Amino acid sequence: MTATGARKAPDIVDVVALGESMVTFLPSRPGRLADVPSFERGTGGAESNVACALAAFGHSTRWVSRVGADGFGDHLVETIGSYGVDVAHVRRDPGRPTGLYFRTAGDRATDEHEVAYYRAGSAASAMTVDTIDLEAVRAARVLHLSGITAALSKGCLELVRELVRPGEGRPLVSFDVNHRPGLWRDTDDARVLLELARAADIVFVGHDEARQAWGLRGGGAIVEALPGPEVVVVKQGRGGAAAFDRNTDGMEDADGTATLVRAPRVDVVSHVGAGDAFAAGFLSGTLRGLPMRDRLRHGHLMAAAALTAPGDLAAPAARSHADRLAALADDAWGRLRLGPGWTQADEAPEEANTP
């Protein structure tokens, strides 16, 4: 029996995502920040985006972070919780505010946009091994982290280092490099991100990020620089994504077996949140034990849901719908085209059958 008053151990969930989320303000019309008259409030955060997408797709998830004891903190906790994410372990900081940011509408072709962050000294930047419930963080099949958290403060960096450190009870660690040069100050971002990525089990990195942070070009060079992870997913934008799996039987070289899946054609509304959605789709496939091709396809489908909706968060397609699309023959997948509203369709869209 549990002693009276003893603390109950947190339930184990499919995915725990730890990181800062901010209240986002999206413009009411195109234009410079100086010219936009009003904004619509939303939420944004790389890790919580992953938790929300996975929860909407039927997985059990938990978001762990710190927010201010303010109305914006209330908004984040309530909104993220409304997706079915466990937010019981988000702590409130009475002395630090919740982070905010404002952005302009991005150009659809280039995703060029103006962003103003108000996150310095935020509640989340005070996350440390002592201010976070580590037991709740580790009670997961997969722990999802990103390089953004490591850049927020020295305390956050030490927290991420503690969480990726090998040891008994450590869940499978998923790490999205998410290189944000503007967040790093006196710390060697290239060295730190490489250190953290090498300690993870699954790594997501864009080919442009690898070139910018590490001077690496091509999947082979990236995988060679990351000898620790079991799976390295290299995102190539419209060129698709390649997964290098060291666990595949019959592996012939140090790079492992690579699986490349092209992204479907998408009528883009906004690029915001697409990378986080891709990670969510891939992790869903991993949790379900799907073949590598289908994990990548689910990543692309989740990303397409984000690309065809405004804001950071977009509801994914129903699992049955996504499964049908992920199972398409290669030629049908190659013809697939997805536009706004596609996630609400009951069947594969007509564009899937057009050349």
Side-chain angles (χ1 to χ4, degrees):
M1 292 181 61
T2 302
T4 302
R7 183 176 178 274
K8 180 183 176 183
D11 294 334
I12 295 178
V13 296
D14 287 337
V15 176
V16 167
L18 177 142
E20 179 173 36
S21 293
M22 294 181 290
V23 174
T24 67
F25 289 91
L26 304 176
S28 58
R29 70 182 190 193
R32 302 181 308 153
L33 282 177
D35 301 328
V36 175
S38 60
F39 297 80
E40 182 177 350
R41 185 182 63 177
T43 65
E47 299 83 6
S48 61
N49 286 348
V50 171
C52 289
L54 283 167
F57 207 58
H59 294 280
S60 58
T61 66
R62 175 180 298 131
W63 172 53
V64 179
S65 188
R66 289 174 68 85
V67 298
D70 49 35
F72 290 131
D74 293 340
H75 173 66
L76 284 177
V77 172
E78 292 168 6
T79 301
I80 294 170
S82 71
Y83 281 79
V85 177
D86 173 12
V87 294
H89 299 276
V90 177
R91 293 184 174 176
R92 311 303 290 263
D93 190 325
R96 295 172 181 265
T98 302
L100 314 173
Y101 80 90
F102 294 76
R103 62 171 288 134
T104 57
D107 180 88
R108 291 188 181 184
T110 64
D111 193 32
E112 292 182 357
H113 55 271
E114 186 182 355
V115 181
Y117 287 100
Y118 299 89
R119 73 194 310 176
S122 68
S125 70
M127 289 189 294
T128 68
V129 293
D130 297 318
T131 62
I132 287 295
D133 187 343
L134 295 179
E135 188 178 10
V137 173
R138 291 173 170 138
R141 295 173 62 192
V142 176
L143 169 59
H144 182 70
L145 305 167
S146 89
I148 295 173
T149 304
L152 296 180
S153 67
K154 291 182 178 178
C156 285
L157 173 55
E158 290 309 310
L159 172 62
V160 176
R161 280 177 167 150
E162 172 63 26
L163 294 174
V164 301
R165 184 174 293 120
E168 184 179 355
R170 192 192 87 160
L172 190 77
V173 173
S174 162
F175 183 74
D176 193 335
V177 172
N178 258 326
H179 185 220
R180 300 289 187 270
L183 287 177
W184 296 89
R185 295 293 183 263
D186 301 325
T187 306
D188 183 350
D189 54 337
R191 176 184 59 79
V192 170
L193 290 172
L194 195 61
E195 167 202 335
L196 298 175
R198 285 172 171 171
D201 300 300
I202 300 173
V203 172
F204 299 96
V205 61
H207 67 103
D208 52 343
E209 289 180 307
R211 183 172 61 251
Q212 183 181 41
W214 302 323
L216 300 174
R217 297 177 181 272
I222 294 170
V223 174
E224 184 177 356
L226 300 174
E230 298 174 1
V231 177
V232 177
V233 179
V234 180
K235 297 176 289 183
Q236 303 172 8
R238 293 179 179 176
F244 296 81
D245 183 6
R246 288 193 169 90
N247 290 327
T248 302
D249 293 338
M251 184 176 66
E252 297 181 354
D253 55 43
D255 289 349
T257 299
T259 303
L260 173 66
V261 173
R262 301 288 182 183
R265 290 173 293 171
V266 176
D267 298 327
V268 176
V269 172
S270 171
H271 290 81
V272 179
D276 306 326
F278 179 92
F282 186 89
L283 290 178
S284 173
T286 300
L287 288 162
R288 298 166 64 195
L290 300 182
M292 193 61 70
R293 185 204 72 168
D294 291 0
R295 298 182 198 186
L296 290 166
R297 285 188 174 187
H298 275 285
H300 286 313
L301 292 170
M302 283 268 198
L307 288 167
T308 53
D312 282 46
L313 292 173
R319 185 180 290 192
S320 59
H321 183 192
D323 282 346
R324 286 195 294 271
L325 294 180
L328 288 172
D330 289 345
D331 58 344
W333 175 264
R335 295 193 301 270
L336 188 61
R337 182 168 183 171
L338 304 170
W342 76 269
T343 59
Q344 304 304 311
D346 292 330
E347 300 292 340
E350 292 182 3
E351 290 88 342
N353 298 315
T354 60

